[in-house]
């Protein structure tokens, strides 16, 4: 079993790079038009404030809480925030086309 000090950075790296790699794979496989690629990018940009607000509300309501981290915005780790925005933005847009 991996000890916690090694597992957490690996998991957080996977939660950032996983959606990035899937989005890049979908861009190649789907062969999106410039309009669809723009929609995918706009989806990621739209998710950034939406996920920040969702996380803020969820923490206020006691649904979840993250460990204090040096790289966070409103107690949301930045790597998870970016990974989620890519997952719910470009990956969702491009996967729905396939």
């Amino acid at each position: 079993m991996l000890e916690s000090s090694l597992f957490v950075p690996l998991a957080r790296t996977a939660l950032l790079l996983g959606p990035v790699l899937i989005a890049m794979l979908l861009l190649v496989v789907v062969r999106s038009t410039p309009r669809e690629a723009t929609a995918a990018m706009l989806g990621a940009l739209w998710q950034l404030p939406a996920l920040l607000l969702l996380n803020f509300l969820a923490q206020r309501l006691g649904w979840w809480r993250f460990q204090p981290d040096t790289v966070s915005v409103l107690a949301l780790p930045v790597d998870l925030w970016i990974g989620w925005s890519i997952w719910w933005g470009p990956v969702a847009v491009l996967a729905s086309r396939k």
Side-chain angles (χ1 to χ4, degrees):
M1 180 156 203
L2 294 173
E3 59 180 76
S4 178
S5 63
L6 177 63
F7 179 71
V8 171
L10 288 176
R12 289 182 58 173
T13 301
L15 290 171
L16 173 63
L17 293 180
V20 170
L21 294 174
I22 292 171
M24 289 177 11
L25 179 68
L26 283 171
L27 276 173
V28 171
V29 170
V30 171
R31 295 183 187 231
S32 60
T33 65
R35 186 176 199 170
E36 292 165 339
T38 303
M41 181 184 68
L42 186 60
L45 293 175
W46 177 254
Q47 288 304 317
L48 287 170
L51 289 170
L52 189 62
L53 177 63
L54 175 66
N55 184 69
F56 178 76
L57 292 173
Q59 287 186 0
R60 289 284 183 201
L61 294 171
W63 293 349
W64 65 71
R65 200 168 300 296
F66 292 104
Q67 289 280 10
D69 194 62
T70 57
V71 186
S72 62
V73 175
L74 295 176
L76 175 63
V78 172
D79 50 354
L80 296 178
W81 184 28
I82 294 170
W84 286 349
S85 69
I86 293 171
W87 182 259
W88 293 111
V91 172
V93 169
L94 295 172
S96 67
R97 183 162 179 266
K98 197 70 175 160

